[in-house]
Amino acid sequence: MMQYPGRSVYKGIALGRIEVYRKHDDQVSRKKISDVDAEIGKVRMAVIQARGQMQRSYETARKEAGEESAAVFNVYQLILEDEGFLDPVLDMIRTQKVNAGYAVAVTRDKLSEMFAQMDDPHMRARAADIEDIANVLIRILEGRAGGELSPRTPVILVADDLSPSETVQMDREKVLALVTVHGSANSHTSILARMMGIPALVQVPVDLEEIHTGMLAVVDGLEGTVVFGPDEKICERAKEKIKEEQERTQLLGSLKGKENVTLDGKKIHIYANIGSLSDVGAVLDSDAGGIGLFRSESLYLGRDTFPTEEEQFQVYKKVAQAMGGKKVIIRTLDLGADKQADYLDLGKEANPAMGYRAIRICLKQPDIFKTQLRALCRAAVYGNISVLYPMIISAGEVRQIQRILKEVQEGLDKAGIPYKDPEQGIMIETPAAAMISDRLAEMVDFFSIGTNDLTQYTLAIDRQNERLEDLYDPHHEAVLRMIRMVVENAHEHGIWVDICGEAGADLALTERFIRMGVDGLSVAPSMVLEIRRAVRGMKI
Ligand code: PEP
Ligand code: MG
C-alpha cells in the first residue's frame, strides 16, 4: 500500500483500477517506405493479432462481467473486418508510401471525426470504438508494450501531467478520477476536470515506474490523498465516503427549482461553465440559469485542422437548443499559452501567457475569427446566445472586433443566410481592461470577470507555476479592489457584470461579491447548487 498527498482540484472520492497514461502512446510519426507490399503485409499481420486479442478479451470480459459488457470486443472485431476501415489504410500506404502505423493513425482520426459528427447517437458512439481499436493496431505495428486494450470500465487515470487538449478529449464516462505528478490547481487542465466533475489531484509525488495499470487505488479529493493498492479498511472507508457524497448531492437536489435570492431579497443569477457540448447534460442537471462561459477553444484542441464553420455552427446550435432559451454565453477562442495544437503553428514564445493568444490571434488572423463569428451569428437563431471576447486590453480592440463582426454580418446578409446579432460582452481579465472598464462599458452589453487571469496578471504570478501556487491569491486586495471597480463602472453605464473565473465558486468570497453588487456567478456545474445554498442563507 502506498499513500501520497496531492493538491485537490475537485473534491470527490473515487475507488477503482488505475491506468497509467504515458504521453504520445498513440501518436505515430510519418516515415517514407520503399517496400509497399511488406508494409501492407505488416497491416494484415497486425489485424490478425488484434483480432486474436479482441477474441480473448471478449471471452474474459464475458466471464467476468457478462455478455453486455463483453459485446464491445465483438464490435472491435467487426471494425477490423470492415473494408471501410482497412481500405483507406492500404490505399494510403500504396499511394503515399507511408508507414503502416501512420496510415492507421490518419485513418483513425478521419473516421472517428466523421462518426463523431453524426446525428444518430449510436453512430456517434462508433467514433470512440474506432479510436480504441485503431490504437491497438498502432501499438502492435509500432511494437509498443501494452497492445492489449484496457477494459471498458472506467479508470483512475494517472499521468505525469496532462495538457488541456488531452483533458478535453477524455470521455467523462471512462474516467473515475485524475491523478498527476505535476500541474497547477489553477491550470486549464484542472479547471476542465472541475467543470467535468472529475475528482482530481495534482502534484502527487509518485514515481510512475512504481505503479502499474490495473492496480486498485482510492483518490480522496476531500483529504487530498491517493492510496495505491489500498487495504480492505481503506476501500470500505472510501465506499462509505462515496455514499455520503451521494447523500449530500441528493440533499442539494432539493434546491433545484428554487431562486438564487438572499434572505433580504437580493437576486443574482447563477450560471454554469462548460468546455464542450458533452458538459451540457451536467448543466441541465445542475439547474443552472444558463451557461455563463462556454470555453469554445476546446473545439480547436486535440485535432489536426481548424474546425470548419459548419462544425462549429452545429455545436453552438446544439448547445443553444439544449438550453432551451436560457442564456448561453460563448467565448470566442482563447487559444495560445497552454492551449496548443500543432496545426495552429503559434510558434515558441518566451512568455506564452503574455504572448500571442486569444483575441490577439483573432485580430491578427481575422479569417480564423470570421469563421467562428459566422458560426456564432448563425447559431444565435436557435437560442439565446451571447458572445464574449477574451483577453481584451483596449477600446481599440473592441472597435476592431465590432468592424469585423459587421463585415461578417454583411456577408451573411448578402448570401441570404439567416443569423441573429448576439449580445456582446468582454472578459475583464487583464488589469488594463479593469482600469479602463468605464470606457469599455460604453461599448458592450456586459462584462464577465475572469478572476483566473486577472489574478495572474495583477500579481505577476504565472497561474501554471506549481512553485508559486501559495502566492497565487484571488483574495489579494489588489484583485478584489479591481473587481469592485469593474462592478461600479459597469453599473454606472447600465450594463451587467458576472464573474466566470474560479473565484466565482469560492464560497469564502460569495458574500463579498454579492455585497459588491456582482449580478451573477458562473461556476462549474457541480458548484451551482452549493452557491445557491450559500446565497439563500446570507443577508447583505
Ligand atoms: C479567467 O481567466 O478567469 C477565465 C475564466 O478564463 P480562463 O480560465 O479560460 O483563462
Ligand atoms: Mg482567462
Side-chain angles (χ1 to χ4, degrees):
M1 193 163 85
M2 295 177 279
Q3 174 160 346
Y4 296 92
R7 206 162 142 60
S8 179
V9 164
Y10 178 72
K11 297 187 189 316
I13 318 270
L15 162 67
R17 306 244 161 234
I18 68 168
E19 180 165 323
V20 182
Y21 172 80
R22 291 195 168 77
K23 284 196 187 279
H24 310 307
D25 259 5
D26 302 321
Q27 286 179 17
V28 197
S29 48
R30 179 189 174 113
K31 291 181 208 122
K32 268 270 173 236
I33 52 120
S34 50
D35 191 343
V36 167
D37 289 341
E39 212 60 22
I40 288 179
K42 278 189 207 164
V43 176
R44 298 210 189 279
M45 286 307 291
V47 167
I48 293 170
Q49 205 178 324
R51 274 168 56 188
Q53 278 183 15
M54 293 309 105
Q55 185 56 29
R56 284 194 296 281
S57 299
Y58 168 77
E59 278 153 21
T60 315
R62 194 171 52 131
K63 256 186 250 145
E64 288 180 2
E67 183 66 41
E68 206 180 324
S69 308
V72 68
F73 294 104
N74 277 337
V75 174
Y76 295 143
Q77 292 188 65
L78 289 175
I79 296 172
L80 286 170
E81 285 158 20
D82 193 332
E83 285 169 2
F85 175 70
L86 270 189
D87 282 356
V89 173
L90 302 182
D91 277 353
M92 200 170 163
I93 296 174
R94 281 192 199 104
T95 55
Q96 298 186 30
K97 299 203 171 14
V98 289
N99 50 317
Y102 181 75
V104 174
V106 171
T107 307
R108 168 198 67 191
D109 294 346
K110 278 193 187 145
L111 288 178
S112 69
E113 199 182 319
M114 190 179 93
F115 277 88
Q117 300 301 327
M118 294 188 175
D119 283 336
D120 179 347
H122 293 291
M123 297 306 273
R124 268 206 309 275
R126 291 287 81 81
D129 297 333
I130 289 168
E131 278 181 31
D132 287 346
I133 193 62
N135 289 341
V136 171
L137 269 187
I138 289 170
R139 279 176 236 149
I140 295 172
L141 285 164
E142 298 283 299
R144 291 174 187 161
E148 292 287 341
L149 191 74
S150 51
R152 264 281 164 117
T153 46
V155 290
I156 294 171
L157 206 63
V158 187
D160 192 46
D161 202 356
L162 287 169
S163 69
S165 64
E166 285 164 323
T167 315
V168 292
Q169 288 179 76
M170 281 179 342
D171 180 349
R172 171 70 188 93
E173 301 303 314
K174 283 208 230 163
V175 181
L176 287 174
L178 290 179
V179 174
T180 62
V181 179
H182 297 287
S184 145
N186 311 304
S187 70
H188 285 101
T189 298
S190 298
I191 290 171
L192 283 168
R194 226 171 277 140
M195 279 196 297
M196 292 193 258
I198 299 176
L201 291 181
V202 296
Q203 298 166 33
V204 174
V206 58
D207 178 350
L208 294 186
E209 297 307 319
E210 284 186 6
I211 55 173
H212 57 85
T213 293
M215 269 177 118
L216 204 61
V218 169
V219 177
D220 188 334
L222 302 172
E223 306 263 340
T225 57
V226 50
V227 182
F228 297 101
D231 62 19
E232 188 95 346
K233 212 168 119 206
I234 291 190
C235 289
E236 281 314 308
R237 182 70 195 114
K239 282 183 199 158
E240 278 166 27
K241 281 190 171 179
I242 290 172
K243 211 163 144 237
E244 283 164 21
E245 276 299 291
Q246 284 165 347
E247 283 164 7
R248 202 183 60 89
T249 311
Q250 251 172 16
L251 261 177
L252 277 175
S254 63
L255 290 172
K256 286 187 188 173
K258 302 246 163 81
E259 274 190 315
N260 309 310
V261 58
T262 62
L263 291 170
D264 45 349
K266 162 99 181 144
K267 283 188 198 165
I268 67 155
H269 45 248
I270 302 179
Y271 295 152
N273 295 346
I274 64 164
S276 67
L277 178 60
S278 60
D279 296 335
V280 173
V283 176
L284 293 170
D285 201 41
S286 74
D287 194 38
I291 290 172
L293 173 65
F294 176 3
R295 289 178 162 95
S296 72
E297 56 273 14
S298 62
L299 269 68
Y300 296 72
L301 299 176
R303 50 184 294 146
D304 298 326
T305 51
F306 282 101
T308 61
E309 177 186 326
E310 194 56 28
E311 278 174 68
Q312 295 192 54
F313 165 67
Q314 289 298 340
V315 173
Y316 305 146
K317 173 182 162 186
K318 281 181 188 152
V319 173
Q321 284 177 326
M323 291 303 293
K326 286 184 177 174
K327 196 176 273 302
V328 175
I329 303 178
I330 304 180
R331 179 174 76 183
T332 57
L333 60 91
D334 185 0
L335 292 164
D338 57 328
K339 288 178 268 192
Q340 295 280 346
D342 285 346
Y343 74 92
L344 296 171
D345 202 16
L346 297 176
K348 281 253 170 297
E349 292 177 300
N351 289 307
M354 295 201 241
Y356 190 51
R357 55 174 293 196
I359 203 69
R360 298 166 189 179
I361 299 176
C362 291
L363 296 179
K364 286 192 195 294
Q365 290 177 258
D367 286 346
I368 300 173
F369 193 32
K370 284 181 185 168
T371 303
Q372 182 168 33
L373 290 177
R374 277 174 68 96
L376 286 165
C377 291
R378 287 174 56 201
V381 172
Y382 298 88
N384 185 2
I385 287 181
S386 306
V387 181
L388 178 64
Y389 303 102
M391 287 292 292
I392 296 295
I393 56 166
S394 71
E397 284 172 338
V398 180
R399 274 194 295 274
Q400 242 180 302
I401 292 169
Q402 286 165 344
R403 269 199 301 273
I404 294 174
L405 182 68
K406 194 160 166 260
E407 261 178 56
V408 162
Q409 295 183 346
E410 281 168 1
L412 289 166
D413 274 332
K414 251 195 211 145
I417 298 171
Y419 72 91
K420 245 173 96 175
D421 185 18
E423 199 183 27
Q424 305 285 308
I426 54 173
M427 299 257 328
I428 303 290
E429 54 182 345
T430 62
M435 295 308 289
I436 58 164
S437 51
D438 51 341
R439 289 192 53 203
L440 297 173
E442 292 168 356
M443 309 177 80
V444 292
D445 302 311
F446 68 96
F447 285 159
S448 190
I449 303 177
T451 50
N452 309 333
D453 279 319
L454 190 59
T455 304
Q456 153 164 273
Y457 297 122
T458 304
L459 305 183
I461 303 285
D462 178 355
R463 64 195 264 195
Q464 300 271 106
N465 192 327
E466 300 166 33
R467 291 174 68 188
L468 299 177
E469 251 184 61
D470 56 332
L471 296 176
Y472 179 92
D473 180 16
H475 292 229
H476 193 293
E477 202 182 336
V479 179
L480 295 177
R481 280 198 204 182
M482 277 201 208
I483 296 174
R484 179 188 300 279
M485 190 176 93
V486 170
V487 174
E488 284 169 7
N489 283 334
H491 289 171
E492 245 167 59
H493 290 86
I495 67 168
W496 52 272
V497 50
D498 279 359
I499 292 180
C500 67
E502 295 302 286
D506 182 343
L507 289 161
L509 286 172
T510 314
E511 194 165 325
R512 234 166 141 170
F513 287 151
I514 297 179
R515 286 226 163 96
M516 285 180 191
V518 163
D519 298 290
L521 301 168
S522 190
V523 299
S526 60
M527 284 302 292
V528 167
L529 293 176
E530 289 271 15
I531 301 284
R532 178 173 296 165
R533 179 168 63 183
V535 169
R536 291 174 65 85
M538 67 181 61
K539 231 180 180 158
I540 300 302

